[in-house]
Amino acid sequence: GAGVSQSPSNKVTEKGKDVELRCDPISGHTALYWYRQRLGQGLEFLIYFQGNSAPDKSGLPSDRFSAERTGESVSTLTIQRTQQEDSAVYLCASSLLPDSNQPQHFGDGTRLSIL
Amino acid sequence: QQQVKQSPQSLIVQKGGISIINCAYENTAFDYFPWYQQFPGKGPALLIAIRPDVSEKKEGRFTISFNKSAKQFSLHIMDSQPGDSATYFCAATEGYSTLTFGKGTMLLVSP
């Protein structure tokens, strides 16, 4: 596909379980971003990748959150020991370059519900 | 600390009317101000963007007005249509483009 693809589209899990969310960026896009969108809120920045490295992890809310990117393509966001406050839509975006001249293209997100 | 404040939280406009959404920012280092449109169940999509060296940018029915001294910018949707009903987010960024978003405005255009 031509756009950013995220999977799964929906995930329901029990409190305390680990979850892994996947993002396939647009081919050739070197910059990749993860955001969290809580109900009725704006998008909250989590982490940014340039290639396979993460120059900015400042938005990760706790050490239960981690992310990696391999092969300058797919990225996974892992949440360990999930809590109810982790319930949100997790959005991934990619851009050709990490530059404000390059628009960020978003996927449709993973809706995570913690029971 | 919220760096981009957006208002109103929700807005109802009649078809054909003008929708106006306002944002204010605090960080004077911001140098790029995009607006995103989000439909339910979809990711945000870039609508229009402006840089602080211009005071206005127009694309079709969508116009951004920018006031650098007041640190404010706004989105105007002319001749609003029911298909414009969505949530709109303003955002701001500097440097390598980590976006700081407003909390969003839910727009409903009544037929």
Side-chain angles (χ1 to χ4, degrees):
Chain A
V4 176
S5 178
Q6 291 188 246
S7 61
S9 55
N10 286 282
K11 177 71 176 179
V12 180
T13 192
E14 293 180 346
K15 176 182 172 182
K17 300 287 188 182
D18 296 352
V19 296
E20 190 172 279
L21 313 179
R22 177 186 170 107
C23 173
D24 283 89
I26 293 173
S27 178
H29 280 197
T30 64
L32 185 147
Y33 310 81
W34 282 98
Y35 295 88
R36 178 169 69 177
Q37 185 175 27
R38 289 179 163 143
L39 188 64
Q41 299 294 311
L43 280 73
E44 175 188 4
F45 167 74
L46 297 178
I47 187 170
Y48 145 68
F49 286 92
Q50 171 53 31
N52 294 340
S53 64
D56 190 347
K57 308 178 183 179
S58 62
L60 294 177
S62 76
D63 59 7
R64 296 187 296 105
F65 287 72
S66 64
E68 64 176 18
R69 187 180 184 195
T70 56
E72 293 199 352
S73 58
V74 173
S75 176
T76 55
L77 176 69
T78 301
I79 309 173
Q80 295 178 309
R81 304 181 304 280
T82 52
Q83 303 294 312
Q84 287 186 332
E85 63 262 27
D86 299 334
S87 296
V89 176
Y90 289 82
L91 289 157
C92 175
S94 70
S95 64
L96 188 61
L97 295 170
D99 185 306
S100 59
N101 286 313
Q102 301 293 330
Q104 293 185 23
H105 300 267
F106 283 82
D108 289 338
T110 294
R111 182 175 300 276
L112 177 63
S113 300
I114 309 300
L115 302 179
Chain B
Q1 181 182 2
Q2 185 185 355
Q3 294 193 55
V4 179
K5 294 184 179 180
Q6 184 172 347
S7 63
Q9 189 173 0
S10 62
L11 181 61
I12 300 175
V13 173
Q14 285 195 328
K15 179 182 175 180
I18 302 174
S19 305
I20 301 175
I21 304 170
N22 300 298
C23 284
Y25 63 97
E26 299 165 6
N27 185 350
T28 55
F30 286 147
D31 62 1
Y32 179 69
F33 302 88
W35 285 89
Y36 281 81
Q37 179 188 57
Q38 185 178 31
F39 294 104
K42 298 295 185 182
L46 179 65
L47 190 61
I48 187 173
I50 198 169
R51 292 194 179 274
D53 53 346
V54 297
S55 59
E56 185 174 283
K57 182 174 182 180
K58 183 176 181 179
E59 291 183 1
R61 295 185 294 108
F62 300 91
T63 299
I64 300 179
S65 297
F66 187 83
N67 186 330
K68 187 174 180 179
S69 61
K71 294 188 285 186
Q72 295 176 345
F73 59 111
S74 60
L75 176 69
H76 295 234
I77 306 174
M78 311 299 287
D79 186 27
S80 299
Q81 299 297 312
D84 297 330
S85 298
T87 299
Y88 292 81
F89 293 95
C90 63
T93 188
E94 59 167 313
Y96 62 78
S97 70
T98 295
L99 291 165
T100 299
F101 284 85
K103 290 192 173 184
T105 296
M106 192 175 301
L107 171 66
L108 177 63
V109 181
S110 58

